[in-house]
Amino acid sequence: MANPDTAEMYSMPSVESTGAARPEHAPADHVAVEHQRLGVLIVNLGTPDGTDYWSMRRYLSEFLSDQRVVDYPRWLWQPLLQLVILSRRPFASGHAYRSIWNHEQDESPLLTTTRRQAEKLSEVLGERFGDRIEVAYGMRYGNPSTDSAVRELQARGCQRILFFPLYPQYASPTTATACDHFFRSLMKLKWQPAARTVPAYFEHSGYMQALASSVRDVLGEDETGEDGWPSALVASYHGVPQRFLRDGDPYYCQCCKTTRLLGEQLGLEEGRLITTFQSKFGPEEWLGPATVDKVAELARAGHRHIAVLSPAFATDCVETLEEIQQEIRDSFLAAGGERFTYIPCLNDRDDHIEALADIAVGELAGWL
């Protein structure tokens, strides 16, 4: 017979019920449990809660203390981070975030868009599978946390969860740390759901078609340059230290392949679509060429109109809305360029959401 201790042990976290009921053939006093569902948890990098100094410091401390992001020895890195870097950097980062902040909802654009992505993905999967799949969203750093998203899905009756990091290309400081954190969340649970993770998906046909469509939607259909197309198209990826490539991280190779596949999808001649890397941090050598330097080089070489897109980001964020559209744009114009076009991330485009749904369904094979 069930008793209060047993009921407490097996009960889900307390949220509004989505269909809890006493299991068939269970004793009358057995705790109600949710109907079994599948969970899809999409996760983005993260966001500060505000643009003030202390909100930025908390966020940056969590982010830059992650040894997947900065893998220097902690005894060397933490004093430098806490005593030097975090005494100044929150001011500069807060200024950057304020320039793009969603003041209406008092949150970062990354959070606003990730929420819409989850809502639209839930709608698409609901149209296909009814109420069998629950969708939640979380962040690797900041809020809503991965921990809270896992518990939310478990409370909705999800005993199997597909963890979906929104990184088309695999990298240790993005995909790997997100998965690390997800599994640390599971370690805290008495009753763990079964779990799967989504691998790099840059080769998925739906993703690549959505990426190509996003370019055509901004530049037009004519790739010859007569319909507003630039003389150079730059695919700017978030950078990582050069040694990551030597240590076996596949990110650089996957970025180069993404560029090649996109060029083929668009029918561009070789050399017109250029791979670059942005957001260098620290003194060591990073993957190159650096976007901020390359766009200036293109301007000096006579390119008057270029376009930049960010295939490594599924969602527009401070690196795209502030760094590309302000710092990198200014570098191009200061070097003599005349027209700079930014092609937004895929965000909550319908074709992007359909691609994410197709990827999720493929990874749910055997569970559905």
Side-chain angles (χ1 to χ4, degrees):
M1 295 288 290
N3 59 56
D5 292 337
T6 305
E8 181 178 355
M9 181 183 303
Y10 289 100
S11 64
M12 298 293 186
S14 177
V15 297
E16 183 179 351
S17 176
T18 57
R22 179 175 60 86
E24 188 178 2
H25 306 305
D29 60 348
H30 194 288
V31 64
V33 296
E34 298 289 337
H35 295 305
Q36 291 188 29
R37 292 181 173 86
L38 303 178
V40 175
L41 173 53
I42 63 171
V43 169
N44 237 316
L45 180 74
T47 173
D49 294 326
T51 62
D52 60 282
Y53 173 84
W54 289 109
S55 294
M56 292 305 311
R57 182 175 179 119
R58 284 193 300 271
Y59 172 71
L60 291 172
S61 180
E62 183 182 11
F63 175 47
L64 296 175
S65 294
D66 185 350
Q67 289 209 292
R68 289 282 197 182
V69 175
V70 182
D71 58 357
Y72 301 147
R74 294 185 64 83
W75 64 266
L76 174 65
W77 175 241
Q78 280 299 314
L80 177 63
L81 174 64
Q82 299 298 331
L83 299 178
V84 179
I85 296 173
L86 291 181
S87 66
R88 302 191 305 264
R89 191 174 177 90
F91 292 108
S93 295
H95 176 75
Y97 270 96
R98 279 192 292 276
S99 71
I100 65 166
W101 200 249
N102 179 349
H103 294 284
E104 182 178 344
Q105 295 181 261
D106 192 23
E107 62 188 22
S108 73
L110 176 73
L111 177 55
T112 303
T113 305
T114 304
R115 182 188 302 113
R116 289 204 304 262
Q117 288 171 323
E119 291 169 350
K120 294 181 74 169
L121 181 60
S122 179
E123 291 173 4
V124 170
L125 292 175
E127 291 170 358
R128 299 188 192 184
F129 302 102
D131 65 353
R132 295 182 60 191
I133 300 177
E134 296 284 340
V135 178
Y137 67 97
M139 301 291 169
R140 169 59 184 91
Y141 314 104
N143 296 304
S145 67
T146 301
D147 278 357
S148 65
V150 167
R151 292 181 181 276
E152 177 186 347
L153 286 175
Q154 192 180 49
R156 294 189 209 169
C158 298
Q159 296 183 17
R160 299 179 180 186
I161 295 177
L162 177 67
F163 183 69
F164 199 152
L166 292 180
Y167 306 117
Q169 302 82 16
Y170 174 95
S172 174
T174 54
T175 312
T177 189
C179 291
D180 290 344
H181 201 52
F182 171 60
F183 286 111
R184 281 195 291 269
S185 297
L186 297 185
M187 289 171 63
K188 300 174 184 177
L189 301 178
K190 293 295 185 184
W191 185 359
Q192 288 184 332
R196 292 177 179 175
T197 61
V198 176
Y201 57 89
F202 67 97
E203 295 178 283
H204 188 273
S205 60
Y207 163 76
M208 190 54 63
Q209 289 166 11
L211 192 60
S213 294
S214 74
V215 174
R216 292 194 180 99
D217 286 349
V218 172
L219 301 181
E221 292 293 333
D222 186 0
E223 296 90 349
T224 65
E226 298 172 358
D227 190 29
W229 273 64
S231 54
L233 184 61
V234 178
S236 180
Y237 300 85
H238 197 291
V240 296
Q242 179 73 33
R243 60 186 168 83
F244 281 34
L245 173 61
R246 297 192 296 268
D247 291 343
D249 192 305
Y251 180 67
Y252 175 78
C253 299
Q254 292 185 0
C255 290
C256 292
K257 188 170 184 180
T258 302
T259 301
R260 177 175 64 79
L261 293 174
L262 177 59
E264 293 173 357
Q265 189 80 28
L266 292 171
L268 298 179
E269 63 272 19
E270 186 175 354
R272 193 170 176 192
L273 181 57
I274 303 164
T275 298
T276 64
F277 297 89
Q278 65 183 86
S279 308
K280 178 180 178 180
F281 177 81
E284 64 180 306
E285 182 183 5
W286 275 43
L287 296 177
T291 307
V292 68
D293 297 330
K294 187 63 178 181
V295 298
E297 178 186 321
L298 290 171
R300 289 191 292 268
H303 292 273
R304 294 294 171 257
H305 178 201
I306 67 169
V308 179
L309 72 156
S310 299
F313 296 97
T315 313
D316 273 308
C317 53
V318 70
E319 285 85 357
T320 63
L321 298 174
E322 192 276 336
E323 185 178 0
I324 290 181
Q325 295 196 66
Q326 296 181 38
E327 178 186 350
I328 291 170
R329 175 183 180 274
D330 290 347
S331 177
F332 175 70
L333 298 178
E338 297 175 357
R339 185 178 172 193
F340 182 94
T341 300
Y342 174 64
I343 299 168
C345 294
L346 295 180
N347 295 320
D348 63 340
R349 289 173 55 102
D350 290 344
D351 51 3
H352 183 215
I353 301 302
E354 289 288 345
L356 296 180
D358 290 342
I359 294 166
V361 170
E363 297 300 326
L364 288 170
W367 282 2
L368 277 171

